[in-house]
Amino acid sequence: MDDYLTKQGVQLQENILVAAKPIGPGTTVLSQQALASVPQPSIRGQRCNYCLRKASLQCCSRCRSAYFCSNECFRNAWLQFHRVLCEPQDYDIYGDVDADRWLLERAALTLHSHNRLNHSKKSSSTKPTTTTTATIKEILEFDDISRGLEPFGCHYTGQELEDLWQKVRKATFDIVDHDQYLDPIALGIYPLTSLYVRHSCRPNTGVVYKRGVQLLIALDDISPGESITISYVDLLQSKAERMQELRQRFGPDFECHCPRCEGDFAILDDLLGASTEERPGYDEAELERQCQTWNVLNMVKAYQTIATPRVLDASNYTHYTSRIMAPDIYSPAISSNNSNHTRNHNHLLPLHNHHRHHHHNTNYGNGNDDSSNYSGFHFHAKENKILTAKRVLPALGALSQVPSVPAFTLQSLRSARKLLRRMISENRWVEASRCALYLFVTYRLVYPTLHPTLSYHSLIVARACWNSLVQLELAGLGHKLERIYENGVRTWIAVARESVYYTFGQETNLWREIVELQWVFERDQKLK
């Protein structure tokens, strides 16, 4: 254990994982395979029930209810847990599977297998119990589970299973699909993380999953002696919502003393509000209307001189916040009309701080594009904390001075998430690109740079802007505006490529997607 942690550049101090040496952004701090995992019941037939891989699956010919991608996964599953659940059936009868019970049974059986306990031959038919919605205590009848496992040589008393469940609950994470909106696809138990990695609502590492393996990726420079932290909850929640989830996991006495709960970033929760009633926002219908009427180029021109408004809807909020975080983009002092238009469109692009120092040469200039030049990231890696304090916090402070900001509320942001997915499914890319820009500005305020949610969303923005450009060209977009939008798409692709590279790595489908998007875009430019 100590040797592994030393190789990763971390060490344990009083059971807390801390950096043993300087760790740069994008570095894998910790990697571990799940002790046990279960796919979400609704997608049992879409993911391998052992490795969670999305591939061509074969159903178990005996129970008709478990799916595996290979004989190797089937054998491993059989040895660890499937022999308990596998009952001869003519068809899949388990339409209502309780994921909590399923996970606890797998954890117990996996530990039983690892401890090389004696295996007794199956003597009776024991079918998994299905339940309806209830509290955890009502769902998990530990004595009942104990009786169900006993015929298989797995001897745990009800009290032992209850104690194990308390540990499992703390160590359970949603395994998300990085290729599909970061949707949860499974539950996994990762003991090292829950034992040694502390929570923060402004974490310095983000959690990424690759075929069930949990990776902790550094989001920023981490200094020697600094605690490694992750967020155990969704950060796009109020403080009360976050604390409720954290206390369910860690106990009723848990307190968070992170920079967002008690430090400089506490202003975030003040702005978002404690509830929808306290800070009402927009529903999907109203946000949809705003995205339809939003003229991006005209708004950029307007915000070169506009004073602080009294009310910020989605479009005004996006440009007002962007002007504070990237004021040079809104400067009207540009030599030529063409370059002025080009800069006007790129109003949101430098929000990833590391691009500002090389975009002037590669994306804002006279068509000289060097998409492989990512030297600006190294500047970002060294200066990110300073730049975050200089840009994000002043932007939050400025928003707090606006009398009404309905666009920056939990209701509006949750509505925007749903709206964006619907617009993408309907191929309404012009409006989707505007909604994606609105969300990107917010994510940049809420999440640290390189956080998986922010990095993934940068790819969505790049994809939406490219498809929006294609739709506008088909609709007869003028040549001058076409060049403006092309420059914007080029920059968003660079933003997404860099973010995906450092957060998710080159072996992921996300990397392949952004590389293909860049290739298609550059081919289109050459053909023109």
Side-chain angles (χ1 to χ4, degrees):
M1 176 72 170
D2 290 338
D3 291 341
Y4 167 73
L5 294 178
T6 300
K7 291 179 181 178
Q8 301 300 116
V10 294
Q11 61 187 9
L12 289 176
Q13 290 183 1
E14 299 179 354
N15 283 336
I16 297 177
L17 198 66
V18 302
K21 62 182 182 180
I23 299 175
T27 303
T28 299
V29 176
L30 185 66
S31 171
Q32 62 177 311
Q33 183 72 49
L35 171 68
S37 63
V38 296
Q40 292 288 350
S42 60
I43 59 170
R44 277 186 302 129
Q46 302 171 27
R47 300 274 178 168
C48 175
N49 289 189
Y50 183 77
C51 72
L52 305 178
R53 182 183 175 196
K54 191 174 184 179
S56 178
L57 304 178
Q58 290 186 343
C59 181
C60 174
S61 60
R62 189 167 184 262
C63 67
R64 309 286 182 181
S65 60
Y67 301 83
F68 303 97
C69 65
S70 65
N71 287 332
E72 180 183 1
C73 282
F74 174 76
R75 285 195 298 269
N76 289 333
W78 181 266
L79 291 173
Q80 291 189 24
F81 55 81
H82 187 56
R83 67 187 188 280
V84 177
L85 304 177
C86 189
E87 300 249 352
Q89 303 291 346
D90 294 330
Y91 60 92
D92 184 358
I93 65 172
Y94 304 114
D96 183 19
V97 177
D98 172 31
D100 286 335
R101 175 171 179 144
W102 199 7
L103 186 64
L104 178 58
E105 288 176 339
R106 284 200 182 183
L109 288 164
T110 300
L111 290 172
H112 164 74
S113 176
H114 287 179
N115 291 332
R116 300 178 181 276
L117 298 177
N118 292 327
H119 297 273
S120 61
K121 188 175 180 181
K122 182 175 178 180
S123 58
S124 63
S125 175
T126 307
K127 190 164 57 179
T129 302
T130 60
T131 60
T132 57
T133 303
T135 64
I136 291 176
K137 207 54 171 159
E138 291 170 336
I139 289 177
L140 296 180
E141 296 293 342
F142 300 105
D143 290 335
D144 181 43
I145 297 174
S146 175
R147 288 190 294 270
L149 296 178
E150 189 171 349
F152 307 95
C154 187
H155 302 290
Y156 285 96
T157 66
Q159 183 60 52
E160 288 174 334
L161 286 174
E162 185 172 355
D163 294 341
L164 176 60
W165 171 247
Q166 298 304 320
K167 298 175 182 178
V168 166
R169 186 172 57 177
K170 292 181 181 179
T172 298
F173 293 80
D174 281 325
I175 300 175
V176 301
D177 184 356
H178 298 299
D179 298 324
Q180 187 66 32
Y181 299 104
L182 303 184
D183 287 339
I185 60 166
L187 296 174
I189 303 173
Y190 299 92
L192 293 181
T193 304
S194 61
L195 284 172
Y196 304 125
V197 180
R198 295 298 179 258
H199 165 80
S200 173
C201 302
R202 194 74 187 180
N204 55 22
T205 67
V207 181
V208 172
Y209 295 93
K210 296 180 181 178
R211 291 191 65 180
V213 176
Q214 185 188 71
L215 307 175
L216 270 57
I217 308 297
L219 307 179
D220 198 353
D221 283 325
I222 304 177
S223 304
E226 184 177 348
S227 297
I228 305 300
T229 59
I230 65 169
S231 175
Y232 284 83
V233 296
D234 182 6
L235 294 177
L236 201 62
Q237 296 185 101
S238 68
K239 183 177 180 179
E241 291 169 333
R242 299 196 309 274
M243 290 307 301
Q244 182 180 5
E245 286 191 24
L246 289 167
R247 286 170 179 165
Q248 286 177 350
R249 179 188 286 265
F250 297 114
D253 298 328
F254 180 85
E255 296 291 341
C256 184
H257 305 287
C258 72
R260 179 170 172 183
C261 288
E262 297 183 354
D264 293 338
F265 286 90
I267 191 173
L268 256 177
D269 291 318
D270 294 337
L271 288 169
L272 290 172
S275 65
T276 300
E277 292 75 18
E278 179 180 326
R279 291 288 176 86
Y282 300 123
D283 58 16
E284 279 190 59
E286 174 57 24
L287 280 176
E288 185 172 10
R289 185 195 66 78
Q290 293 182 26
C291 288
Q292 290 171 343
T293 59
W294 179 355
N295 188 307
V296 174
L297 299 181
N298 288 343
M299 288 291 291
V300 176
K301 295 176 185 178
Y303 268 88
Q304 290 174 355
T305 57
I306 194 170
T308 301
R310 295 192 59 80
V311 179
L312 291 178
D313 60 6
S315 60
N316 282 281
Y317 157 79
T318 300
H319 293 273
Y320 178 73
T321 307
S322 301
R323 186 182 65 170
I324 298 169
M325 298 181 71
D328 55 316
I329 301 306
Y330 287 78
S331 173
I334 310 299
S335 57
S336 68
N337 290 333
N338 285 341
S339 59
N340 185 43
H341 279 298
T342 302
R343 289 171 64 91
N344 282 343
H345 174 69
N346 290 335
H347 67 293
L348 293 176
L349 306 178
L351 289 181
H352 273 266
N353 299 324
H354 47 283
H355 288 276
R356 293 188 60 186
H357 288 260
H358 62 277
H359 275 177
H360 296 289
N361 295 326
T362 63
N363 292 324
Y364 296 153
N366 51 16
N368 243 346
D369 175 37
D370 179 12
S371 298
S372 62
N373 179 9
Y374 295 103
S375 59
F377 181 83
H378 300 292
F379 172 85
H380 153 74
K382 296 177 181 178
E383 304 294 337
N384 181 57
K385 288 183 179 178
I386 298 175
L387 290 174
T388 297
K390 284 185 176 180
R391 294 181 181 178
V392 176
L393 291 176
L396 293 172
L399 289 172
S400 69
Q401 301 303 312
V402 179
S404 177
V405 192
F408 193 56
T409 60
L410 293 174
Q411 179 184 5
S412 295
L413 298 171
R414 289 166 181 170
S415 296
R417 280 179 164 179
K418 297 177 182 178
L419 177 62
L420 179 60
R421 294 185 67 156
R422 178 162 62 85
M423 286 178 168
I424 291 176
S425 68
E426 297 171 356
N427 292 320
R428 295 165 55 192
W429 292 105
V430 176
E431 292 111 322
S433 65
R434 297 164 184 166
C435 187
L437 293 176
Y438 160 56
L439 280 173
F440 181 84
V441 171
T442 301
Y443 288 166
R444 188 64 185 87
L445 298 175
V446 174
Y447 298 99
T449 304
L450 294 185
H451 189 279
T453 299
L454 181 58
S455 294
Y456 178 77
H457 191 72
S458 69
L459 176 58
I460 291 181
V461 176
R463 184 198 307 159
C465 288
W466 162 246
N467 288 321
S468 173
L469 174 62
V470 172
Q471 288 187 345
L472 289 171
E473 287 176 342
L474 293 174
L477 181 67
H479 181 65
K480 182 184 291 186
L481 287 177
E482 191 175 307
R483 290 187 60 187
I484 295 172
Y485 283 99
E486 287 168 356
N487 284 330
V489 172
R490 178 182 290 110
T491 305
W492 275 117
I493 290 174
V495 170
R497 175 171 172 146
E498 189 168 72
S499 299
V500 168
Y501 174 81
Y502 283 96
T503 301
F504 300 106
Q506 292 178 290
E507 69 278 11
T508 61
N509 289 333
L510 297 182
W511 175 256
R512 286 188 285 273
E513 180 178 349
I514 191 61
V515 169
E516 289 175 2
L517 181 58
Q518 183 180 34
W519 179 83
V520 170
F521 174 77
E522 291 178 349
R523 183 191 62 174
D524 183 71
Q525 300 305 297
K526 290 178 181 179
L527 289 175
K528 288 180 180 178

